[in-house]
């Protein structure tokens, strides 16, 4: 109740407090319109959020790792970071999400129960850098309009039910460092245009239905440290140009990359397979090329 009468708060931080309760009615409305940081992460808070609110001065909204449920909150805010991951949110993303969060740069919605598709309006949020939707129930095609996001660096769509081919428009996102589309229902040939993404560190495409051969273009990604094409329907030979993956041939563990793995994915699933190539569970034939022996930093 004390928080509800504080109208000039700038920071609300209740992280790791062990709160196990439902947020009282009117609590969010009562914390004041001047709040810039709303941090309630890693508690056991449950219940539904107010459907519509306006927080004009908020910079960061972090309600992650709780037991919140219900639809995506229709909050109007100029915040640049939204963390709703590891909750029980459900339903589809709002069609006017670009109007609600026009200045958003980082969106973390992973490990919820969201459904539906990625609304095309999300691609109007021009400053978006990180989009993590993994471990939900999103479906339909990956929208072509994602290629209109010039600042996009991390796109995590793994463990959903996306279908169709990977859109070529994503090659316009030249700042991409991590694409993870593993664990979906994607089809078609492996995207050769990925070879143009010189900043790419990680390329997990496992557990889909990709067909055809491994394109030589994938050998030209200079910073690639994880390539996981396992459990698809890929055929043909392993390209000899695999020796051109210079980060595996001459690189060492990169501190920026390690931080990317831990902070962005917030999971340990990649820590043991850094500097790795995985082609298992396919229809590959022929010999293992001797060129792979030149990868002195290959760990797996």
């Amino acid at each position: 109740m004390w928080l509800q009468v504080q109208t000039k708060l700038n920071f609300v931080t209740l992280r790791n407090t062990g709160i196990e309760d439902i947020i009282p009615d009117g609590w969010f409305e009562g914390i004041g319109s001047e709040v810039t940081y709303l941090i309630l992460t890693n508690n056991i808070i449950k219940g539904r959020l107010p459907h519509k609110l306006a927080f004009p001065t908020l910079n960061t909204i972090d309600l992650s790792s709780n037991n919140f449920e219900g639809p995506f909150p229709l909050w109007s805010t100029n915040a640049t970071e939204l963390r709703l991951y590891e909750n029980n949110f459900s339903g589809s993303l709002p069609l006017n999400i670009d109007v609600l969060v026009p200045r958003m740069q980082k969106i973390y919605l992973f490990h919820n129960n969201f459904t539906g598709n990625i609304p095309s309006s999300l691609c109007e949020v021009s400053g978006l850098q990180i989009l993590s939707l993994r471990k939900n129930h999103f479906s339909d095609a990956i929208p072509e309009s994602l290629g209109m996001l010039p600042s996009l660096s991390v796109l995590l769509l793994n463990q959903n039910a996306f279908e169709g081919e990977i859109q070529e428009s994503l090659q316009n996102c030249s700042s991409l460092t991590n694409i993870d589309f593993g664990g979906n229902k994607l089809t078609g040939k492996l995207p050769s245009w990925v070879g143009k993404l010189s900043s790419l560190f990680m390329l997990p495409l496992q557990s889909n239905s990709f067909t055809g051969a491994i394109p030589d273009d994938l050998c030209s990604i200079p910073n690639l440290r994880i390539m996981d094409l396992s459990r698809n329907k890929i055929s043909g030979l392993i390209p000899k140009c695999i020796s051109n993956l210079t980060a595996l041939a001459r690189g060492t563990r990169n501190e920026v990359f390690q931080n990317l793995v831990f902070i962005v994915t917030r999971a340990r699933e990649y820590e043991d397979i850094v500097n790795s190539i995985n082609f298992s569970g396919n229809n590959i034939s022929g010999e293992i090329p001797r060129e792979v022996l030149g990868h002195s930093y290959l760990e797996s």
Side-chain angles (χ1 to χ4, degrees):
M1 293 299 294
W2 175 81
L3 275 175
Q4 289 181 256
V5 298
Q6 306 303 309
T7 58
K8 295 185 186 244
L9 287 173
N10 294 116
F11 300 88
V12 176
T13 303
L14 299 171
R15 180 189 286 115
N16 303 319
T17 63
I19 296 174
E20 185 176 358
D21 205 349
I22 297 175
I23 295 290
D25 290 341
W27 187 85
F28 283 99
E29 294 89 336
I31 60 177
S33 60
E34 301 301 315
V35 172
T36 56
Y37 289 87
L38 177 59
I39 314 294
L40 303 179
T41 184
N42 204 21
N43 290 289
I44 318 174
I45 304 172
K46 54 189 175 181
R48 295 186 169 221
L49 299 174
H51 193 50
K52 292 185 179 182
L53 284 177
F55 286 109
T57 62
L58 261 182
N59 178 272
T60 298
I61 304 171
D62 189 350
L63 309 181
S64 60
S65 301
N66 281 287
N67 290 319
F68 287 114
E69 58 185 28
F72 185 92
L74 302 180
W75 294 3
S76 177
T77 173
N78 289 318
T80 60
E81 187 164 343
L82 175 64
R83 294 175 176 262
L84 300 182
Y85 61 82
E86 292 179 350
N87 278 285
N88 295 308
F89 291 109
S90 58
S92 57
L93 300 183
L95 296 178
N96 64 336
I97 192 170
D98 59 321
V99 177
L100 298 173
V101 293
R103 299 184 183 178
M104 195 62 65
Q105 297 176 6
K106 302 174 183 179
I107 297 178
Y108 302 87
L109 304 182
F110 63 86
H111 211 159
N112 278 285
N113 295 305
F114 287 114
T115 56
N117 56 18
I118 299 176
S120 58
S121 58
L122 183 62
C123 306
E124 300 293 328
V125 185
S126 59
L128 192 61
Q129 300 170 11
I130 296 175
L131 179 61
S132 179
L133 304 181
R134 65 189 182 89
K135 291 188 178 180
N136 278 283
H137 304 287
F138 289 106
S139 58
D140 209 345
I142 297 171
E144 185 177 2
S145 51
L146 282 177
M148 298 169 54
L149 295 171
S151 301
L152 191 65
S153 62
V154 175
L155 181 58
L156 307 180
L157 305 182
N158 51 309
Q159 293 174 274
N160 281 283
F162 289 109
E163 302 175 350
E165 299 185 3
I166 298 177
Q167 303 289 354
E168 288 189 22
S169 61
L170 285 173
Q171 65 184 300
N172 298 326
C173 303
S174 57
S175 299
L176 278 169
T177 60
N178 183 1
I179 299 174
D180 193 340
F181 295 157
N184 281 286
K185 299 178 180 179
L186 298 172
T187 55
K189 294 183 178 181
L190 293 171
S192 59
W193 53 261
V194 172
K196 299 178 182 179
L197 301 177
S198 59
S199 299
L200 199 66
F201 277 109
M202 302 169 61
L203 183 62
L205 300 177
Q206 76 280 4
S207 301
N208 282 285
S209 295
F210 292 114
T211 56
I214 300 171
D216 289 351
D217 303 79
L218 297 189
C219 300
S220 60
I221 310 174
N223 290 301
L224 195 66
R225 294 178 180 273
I226 293 177
M227 182 191 294
D228 191 349
L229 309 180
S230 62
R231 299 186 298 280
N232 279 284
K233 299 176 181 179
I234 300 167
S235 57
L237 304 175
I238 298 175
K240 292 185 177 181
C241 65
I242 198 169
S243 59
N244 295 337
L245 293 171
T246 53
L248 295 177
R250 296 190 289 274
T252 57
R253 288 201 176 202
N254 183 291
E255 184 177 351
V256 173
F257 171 68
Q258 295 293 78
N259 289 338
L260 176 72
V261 171
F262 182 73
I263 295 173
V264 172
T265 66
R266 200 179 176 273
R268 300 184 178 274
E269 59 199 74
Y270 293 117
E271 286 191 355
D272 296 331
I273 55 170
V274 171
N275 294 345
S276 69
I277 299 173
N278 191 349
F279 296 156
S280 63
N282 283 288
N283 298 315
I284 291 173
S285 57
E287 298 180 348
I288 298 174
R290 293 181 58 84
E291 285 77 8
V292 76
L293 298 176
H295 293 156
S296 54
Y297 289 93
L298 185 65
E299 297 181 15
S300 172

